[in-house]
C-alpha cells in the first residue's frame, strides 16, 4: 500500500506545473490530462524566442523563417495531449513544447523544469541584386520591419551597413522592402518594386529515352522522334523546358517530379499511321487540381492567367490544341484515363502523333508550330 501511495505521489509531482524558461522569459509548463506532455503558453514562447504567432480558425501556429508548426485548439484537457493539440485555458492558449521544438529546430531540455532555447544564428552571406537582397544564415530566422530598416531576430554577423543590437542583427534601409519572405534554406528575401507576374512553366516531355526506345518504325525510334518534335515546339515557346534534352533514361518518378511544377505539360509519344490522339487525365487527386477547373470558369481573364501559373484545366488545353491542329486540317481523337504523369495541378495531356505526320521537315515544322499556337491560346485564353 505504501509503495502504491508513493507511486501516486510521484506521478502527481511529475504532472504538477513546473518552471518554464523560454529564452530570457520565464513562466510555467502545464501537463493537461496528466499525460506527461509539457505545454507552454503560446504567446510567451513566441515572445521569448522571436517566433511568429498566428491564431484563428480554431488553430494556432508558430513559425521560424520558412518552418511553421500549426496545432488545432481544443478546450478539453483529455484531448489536448493525444493529438497533440493546443489547449485553451481561459484566455490563454498553450502548445505542446517538445513537438514544437522538433518542428522548428528549437533546443528542448527537461530537468527540474523545462528549458526552451534557440542558438543565435550566424550570417553566412548576402546576395545583392536589382531591387532584391537575399541573406543566408546558419539556421532559419525571423525578421521584422521596423522604422529605418529590418531586424533579424537572434542573429549576429558582420557586413556592409549591418549593425549588431541586443535583439539581433539590424540592417538600416532608406526605404522599407515591399516584400519580406522566407524562401527556405535558412534565407530571408527582401524585395522592392512591383511584384512580377508569375509565368506558367510549359514543360515538354519527350517520351521514353535512353534504354527505353519506345516503338520502332524501321530505322527510326520513338524516343528520337519524340525528342525532335519536343525541341521544335520548345523553340517556339520561349521559357519552356524539356524533361530530357538528350538520349537519357528518365523514370516516371523523375518526370512526375518535374511535372508537378508545371502549369502546362505535354508528353509526346508516337504511334503507327497518321493518327493524332490526345489523352487526358480522369479523376485528378490533388485538391488544387480538383478546384482548378471550377476556378478557371468563374474568374476574370486576368485572374485566370495568374491561376494558370499554379493550376490548370487539361480539357481547356486539349480544346486549344485541337483547334490549333484543326487549322491544319487535322482531326484529333480524345480519350481519358488514369495516367499517373497527368495527375498534377497543372494542365497536362499526352499527345500521340502518327509517324506518317512526321515524314518531312516541313510537316514537322507545321505540326510544331500548331502545337505551340495551341499552348499560347490556352495560356492567353479565359
Amino acid at each position: 500500500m505504501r509503495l502504491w501511495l508513493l507511486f501516486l505521489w510521484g506521478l502527481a509531482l511529475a504532472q504538477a506545473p513546473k518552471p518554464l524558461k523560454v529564452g530570457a522569459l520565464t513562466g510555467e509548463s502545464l501537463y493537461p490530462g496528466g499525460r506527461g506532455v509539457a505545454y507552454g503558453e503560446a504567446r510567451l514562447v513566441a515572445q521569448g524566442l522571436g517566433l511568429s504567432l498566428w491564431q484563428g480558425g480554431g488553430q494556432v501556429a508558430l513559425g521560424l523563417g520558412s518552418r511553421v508548426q500549426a496545432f488545432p485548439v481544443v478546450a478539453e484537457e483529455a484531448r489536448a495531449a493525444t493529438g497533440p493539440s493546443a489547449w485553451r485555458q481561459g484566455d490563454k492558449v498553450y502548445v505542446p513544447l517538445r513537438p514544437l521544438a522538433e518542428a522548428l529546430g528549437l533546443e528542448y531540455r527537461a530537468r527540474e523544469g523545462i528549458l526552451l532555447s534557440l542558438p543565435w544564428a550566424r550570417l553566412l552571406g548576402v546576395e545583392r541584386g536589382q531591387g532584391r537582397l537575399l541573406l543566408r544564415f546558419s539556421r532559419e530566422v525571423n525578421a521584422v520591419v521596423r522604422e529605418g530598416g529590418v531586424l533579424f531576430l537572434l542573429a549576429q554577423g558582420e557586413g556592409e551597413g549591418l549593425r549588431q543590437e541586443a535583439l539581433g542583427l539590424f540592417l538600416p534601409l532608406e526605404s522599407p522592402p515591399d516584400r519580406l519572405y522566407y524562401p527556405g534554406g535558412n534565407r530571408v528575401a527582401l524585395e522592392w518594386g512591383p511584384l512580377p507576374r508569375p509565368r506558367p512553366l510549359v514543360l515538354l516531355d519527350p517520351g521514353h529515352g535512353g534504354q527505353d526506345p519506345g516503338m520502332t518504325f524501321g530505322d527510326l525510334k520513338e524516343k528520337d522522334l519524340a525528342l525532335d518534335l519536343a525541341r521544335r515546339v520548345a523553340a517556339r515557346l520561349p521559357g519552356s523546358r524539356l524533361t530530357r534534352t538528350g538520349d537519357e533514361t528518365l523514370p516516371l518518378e523523375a518526370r512526375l517530379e518535374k511535372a508537378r511544377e508545371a502549369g502546362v505539360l505535354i508528353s509526346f509519344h508516337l504511334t503507327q499511321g497518321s493518327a493524332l490522339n490526345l489523352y487526358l487525365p480522369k479523376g485528378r487527386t490533388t485538391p488544387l487540381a480538383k478546384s482548378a477547373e471550377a476556378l478557371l470558369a468563374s474568374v476574370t481573364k486576368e485572374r485566370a492567367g495568374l491561376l494558370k501559373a499554379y493550376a490548370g484545366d487539361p480539357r481547356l488545353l486539349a480544346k486549344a490544341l485541337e483547334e490549333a491542329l484543326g487549322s491544319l486540317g487535322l482531326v484529333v481523337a480524345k480519350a481519358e484515363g488514369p495516367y499517373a504523369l497527368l495527375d498534377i495541378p497543372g494542365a497536362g495531356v499526352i499527345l500521340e502523333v502518327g509517324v506518317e505526320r512526321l515524314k518531312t521537315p516541313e510537316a514537322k515544322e507545321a505540326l510544331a508550330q500548331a502545337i505551340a499556337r495551341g499552348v499560347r491560346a490556352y495560356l492567353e485564353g479565359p
Side-chain angles (χ1 to χ4, degrees), residues 76-324:
E76 301 84 0
E77 284 192 43
R79 290 179 55 197
T82 59
S85 302
W87 173 45
R88 183 181 297 280
Q89 187 185 49
D91 60 349
K92 295 182 178 181
V93 174
Y94 291 79
V95 293
L97 298 176
R98 187 183 290 276
L100 178 68
E102 292 174 351
L104 301 187
L106 314 178
E107 292 185 355
Y108 175 95
R109 283 187 287 174
R111 292 181 181 173
E112 293 81 5
I114 304 296
L115 175 64
L116 205 61
S117 61
L118 191 60
W120 280 65
R122 302 186 315 278
L123 178 65
L124 301 180
V126 180
E127 298 178 21
R128 301 177 185 270
Q130 184 65 35
R132 190 171 194 259
L133 279 177
L134 188 67
L135 295 92
R136 184 167 57 90
F137 294 88
S138 58
R139 62 160 175 80
E140 294 284 350
V141 302
N142 279 344
V144 292
V145 179
R146 72 180 200 191
E147 185 177 356
V150 174
L151 177 65
F152 303 93
L153 297 170
L154 296 180
Q156 57 190 6
E158 298 179 353
E160 181 181 350
L162 292 166
R163 183 173 74 235
Q164 193 67 52
E165 296 189 355
L167 294 179
L169 195 59
F170 184 71
L171 174 63
L173 297 170
E174 294 182 1
S175 61
D178 296 308
R179 291 172 300 283
L180 186 157
Y181 62 95
Y182 309 102
N186 304 338
R187 296 173 298 170
V188 182
L190 312 178
E191 293 181 346
W192 290 262
L195 185 66
R197 175 171 175 162
R199 297 182 59 185
L201 169 61
V202 176
L203 186 66
L204 306 172
D205 173 48
H208 308 285
Q211 297 179 355
D212 176 15
M215 297 183 68
T216 56
F217 311 95
D219 295 334
L220 302 176
K221 297 176 182 177
E222 182 179 2
K223 65 177 182 179
D224 300 324
L225 294 172
L227 179 58
D228 178 73
L229 180 57
R231 284 173 172 168
R232 292 174 187 269
V233 176
R236 289 162 173 78
L237 292 172
S240 61
R241 299 180 194 170
L242 276 67
T243 55
R244 64 179 180 94
T245 57
D247 185 18
E248 57 194 273
T249 302
L250 196 63
L252 174 61
E253 293 77 11
R255 296 178 196 265
L256 188 54
E257 184 177 354
K258 297 172 184 281
R260 291 192 182 103
E261 305 298 322
V264 171
L265 167 72
I266 302 179
S267 184
F268 295 95
H269 289 263
L270 278 294
T271 188
Q272 298 284 357
S274 58
L276 283 174
N277 302 315
L278 272 173
Y279 299 99
L280 287 71
K282 184 176 183 179
R284 294 188 291 170
T285 61
T286 66
L288 185 55
K290 290 179 178 179
S291 59
E293 296 171 22
L295 287 172
L296 287 171
S298 62
V299 299
T300 64
K301 181 178 179 180
E302 181 180 2
R303 289 183 178 272
L306 292 173
L307 178 61
K308 287 174 183 175
Y310 308 100
D313 186 344
R315 289 165 183 79
L316 292 179
L317 174 59
K319 180 182 178 182
L321 290 169
E322 186 178 14
E323 292 177 353

Side-chain angles (χ1 to χ4, degrees), residues 46-84:
Q47 291 176 349
L49 300 179
L51 305 179
S52 306
L53 175 65
W54 304 270
Q55 294 187 60
Q59 285 195 326
V60 60
L62 293 97
L64 180 63
S66 64
R67 303 172 74 169
V68 177
Q69 177 62 44
F71 301 100
V73 180
V74 300
E76 301 84 0
E77 284 192 43
R79 290 179 55 197
T82 59

